[in-house]
Amino acid sequence: QVRLVESGGGVVQAGGSLALSCAAPRLITSTFWGLDWAWYRQPPGKQRELVALFPSTGDIKYADSVKGRFTISRDSSKKKVYLQMSSLKLEDTAVYYCNTGGEESGSWGQGTQVTVSS
């Protein structure tokens, strides 16, 4: 298991922007580079869903609901993964989780609450 520490959640008005970060302080850089990284979210009363995936190889993927508004990125030198969110909508309200290693058996951050207000 990989220790992941998230930060950056909060309350933002609809149409605003917010950036989340996920740190993996105990990983060595080469290991960080070779992992798939993802952001998931769980809206209130709903199931967890994949928001964005940054694979070690291949194309970045986004949920249709966030395409064009969210951007996932990583900085191997800092061992951090980011989720830049813009044009936020009420339906983006959720607990956001950083993940590496896949949904079934991967490692998870503690979650950070994002609340979009009208």
Side-chain angles (χ1 to χ4, degrees):
Q1 292 293 307
V2 177
R3 180 171 177 257
L4 302 175
V5 181
E6 298 155 6
S7 61
V11 179
V12 62
Q13 284 194 325
S17 299
L18 205 60
L20 307 182
S21 66
C22 171
R26 295 177 182 171
L27 281 181
I28 60 174
T29 301
S30 59
T31 301
F32 181 96
W33 188 261
L35 294 173
D36 296 345
W37 293 93
W39 285 95
Y40 287 78
R41 68 185 181 187
Q42 185 164 19
K46 297 184 179 181
Q47 289 188 330
R48 185 172 59 200
E49 60 184 7
L50 177 66
V51 175
L53 172 68
F54 197 128
S56 57
T57 58
D59 296 332
I60 292 173
K61 293 180 172 55
Y62 294 96
D64 288 343
S65 59
V66 307
K67 280 181 183 176
R69 301 188 299 118
F70 289 14
T71 302
I72 187 172
S73 61
R74 66 181 184 184
D75 185 332
S76 297
S77 65
K78 295 182 179 179
K79 293 176 286 185
K80 286 188 174 182
V81 182
Y82 304 96
L83 185 68
Q84 178 66 46
M85 305 181 292
S86 60
S87 302
L88 283 160
K89 303 176 181 180
L90 297 179
E91 53 263 41
D92 294 320
T93 294
V95 178
Y96 285 71
Y97 297 92
C98 178
N99 168 275
T100 187
E103 187 172 14
E104 294 299 323
S105 57
S107 300
W108 296 88
Q110 79 280 10
T112 186
Q113 177 71 45
V114 172
T115 301
V116 183
S117 64
S118 58

